Amino acid sequence: MTNIHYLPFINNNDAIVWRQSLEQSFINAHQDDYNRLNAARSNGTAEDDLNDIKRELQCKWFMQLNKEIYEKLDAKLQNLPVNETVIAALPEFFWRNINDNKKHERDIANYGKSFSYEVKQIWENSKPSDEYSFQNLTAKYPNLILFAGTIWRKKDNVIRNSLPIFANGNFFGQWPKRNLSGIDGLGDNIPLSPTFDMNKVDKVTVHWTKPDFDPTDLTMPMITFNNLTIGLDICLDFIVPGSRSADLLFPTVPDIHLLIAGGMPVDNNNAANINASRLFLRCDAMEYWTNASYQNISLGGPMTAVLAPAAGELFASISLII
């Protein structure tokens, strides 16, 4: 038997208010930066120069958000037994830029805006000695593996939405979402063709993976930690044949299946896509009855909601034996 402690971020009203307050405090504290950005927007500044200003501000916001999550997790982890494997998870779209000028008003109005590609490299270039880095956190707690929610970013006008993973003081790499749709900031009803714009792909034109886009991408949606295999799905991939981890890993059945999502409830219609021998975990940005759930398969247990944490904690906590 194995002791597991699951720490999912619960994106309920408490968390939404927390983030809104954090974003507004950041905007207030960096008003000079935003004034400079808005002046560049209105003055017809060259795109490269404008992007440099955006990138500088995005990096500041990214580091502030990273620090906040580090502190929230650190407070939780201090009270957990060191002999339990701890799986911490944030939901899809957690790492996103502040929607300061309300550029997006439909599908992704609640998701902010994508980061520049270079912002994500802050994680890859961080070290265990860096204060508030996730390498530092996972070195401090070697029983912790952190699935840090997805980061939504652009490079060369191509949108990517991927799940970074940290453990043992290292950035392990990331698993990219394979099926992008309107919720990822893409447009509607654009036919698939050799010249299609990847920023305007409808969810019906799925199965897109750009070769060699990012050398830190995992080759398969599975990772091994503390002698446990953990399979991964991101939202829409969970229900798309050929992209779901059950298909990509076949015939392998991992010990644990983790679903990171931004609106993917698990019910009788899709539960057959669960691919795990011992435990299923879900962390979702949207409240479909509950933001997080689990099923202890090894004990024949039902799908069970994770109860919300105390106000201000943001991460729930559930202890399991599998």
Side-chain angles (χ1 to χ4, degrees):
M1 306 296 279
T2 303
N3 292 312
I4 301 288
H5 212 96
Y6 181 40
L7 300 180
F9 183 95
I10 304 298
N11 197 43
N12 57 9
N13 187 67
D14 182 40
I16 292 170
V17 170
W18 165 82
R19 184 170 185 127
Q20 289 172 341
S21 176
L22 190 65
E23 289 183 352
Q24 191 57 56
S25 295
F26 181 87
I27 291 173
N28 293 342
H30 295 83
Q31 194 59 60
D32 289 345
D33 291 326
Y34 279 102
N35 289 341
R36 183 162 60 99
L37 173 60
N38 289 326
R41 284 167 171 160
S42 60
N43 292 338
T45 300
E47 185 174 358
D48 286 347
D49 293 334
L50 180 59
N51 287 337
D52 285 343
I53 298 171
K54 289 180 179 179
R55 190 176 301 114
E56 178 185 344
L57 191 53
Q58 286 177 20
C59 286
K60 292 178 181 179
W61 163 240
F62 182 86
M63 293 300 292
Q64 178 64 36
L65 190 56
N66 191 101
K67 176 179 180 289
E68 295 283 338
I69 291 303
Y70 180 106
E71 291 177 337
K72 293 292 185 183
L73 278 172
D74 189 37
K76 280 281 191 179
L77 291 160
Q78 289 175 20
N79 300 315
L80 297 185
V82 297
N83 63 338
E84 290 189 356
T85 295
V86 180
I87 300 173
L90 288 101
E92 189 178 17
F93 299 111
F94 185 83
W95 303 96
R96 61 189 187 272
N97 192 22
I98 298 173
N99 194 9
D100 63 290
N101 63 342
K102 308 302 179 187
K103 180 179 180 181
H104 305 294
E105 295 296 344
R106 37 189 309 270
D107 292 337
I108 54 172
N110 296 323
Y111 289 93
K113 296 186 292 188
S114 62
F115 279 120
S116 300
Y117 176 77
E118 291 79 5
V119 173
K120 183 192 73 73
Q121 292 178 292
I122 293 173
W123 275 337
E124 297 168 28
N125 297 332
S126 296
K127 301 180 293 297
S129 58
D130 293 335
E131 188 178 27
Y132 303 121
S133 73
F134 292 149
Q135 287 89 334
N136 177 293
L137 186 69
T138 56
K140 184 178 180 179
Y141 301 100
N143 58 330
L144 166 70
I145 184 167
L146 171 60
F147 297 91
T150 70
I151 180 166
W152 184 44
R153 67 198 193 280
K154 291 175 69 175
K155 182 180 182 181
D156 300 329
N157 291 321
V158 175
I159 288 177
R160 293 274 284 182
N161 188 7
S162 57
L163 171 65
I165 304 163
F166 299 84
N168 297 322
N170 295 305
F171 170 68
F172 263 44
Q174 63 202 353
W175 178 247
K177 186 177 182 181
R178 299 170 68 86
N179 297 290
L180 304 184
S181 63
I183 203 170
D184 296 283
L186 309 179
D188 299 323
N189 301 318
I190 304 300
L192 184 61
S193 72
T195 59
F196 73 96
D197 179 355
M198 198 54 226
N199 288 312
K200 298 178 180 178
V201 178
D202 185 63
K203 61 185 177 182
V204 297
T205 56
V206 296
H207 279 351
W208 173 79
T209 302
K210 186 177 177 64
D212 303 322
F213 179 86
D214 194 318
T216 62
D217 284 352
L218 300 176
T219 57
M220 294 297 286
M222 187 171 73
I223 194 164
T224 300
F225 179 72
N226 279 5
N227 296 315
L228 293 167
T229 51
I230 305 172
L232 307 169
D233 270 307
I234 302 175
C235 205
L236 187 61
D237 295 347
F238 179 65
I239 60 171
V240 177
S243 290
R244 57 197 176 197
S245 64
D247 295 335
L248 296 174
L249 298 176
F250 182 82
T252 300
V253 178
D255 297 305
I256 300 170
H257 185 177
L258 174 64
L259 171 61
I260 300 293
M264 182 56 66
V266 177
D267 53 31
N268 291 336
N269 294 317
N270 60 17
N273 294 326
I274 294 174
N275 184 44
S277 61
R278 302 171 71 182
L279 179 65
F280 172 75
L281 302 172
R282 170 177 157 271
C283 182
D284 202 308
M286 299 185 70
E287 285 192 277
Y288 283 93
W289 304 288
T290 175
N291 288 107
S293 53
Y294 69 91
Q295 183 177 13
N296 194 333
I297 298 168
S298 62
L299 297 182
M303 191 67 67
T304 304
V306 176
L307 297 179
E313 291 187 5
L314 303 183
F315 286 88
S317 180
I318 182 75
S319 186
L320 301 162
I321 298 176
I322 62 173

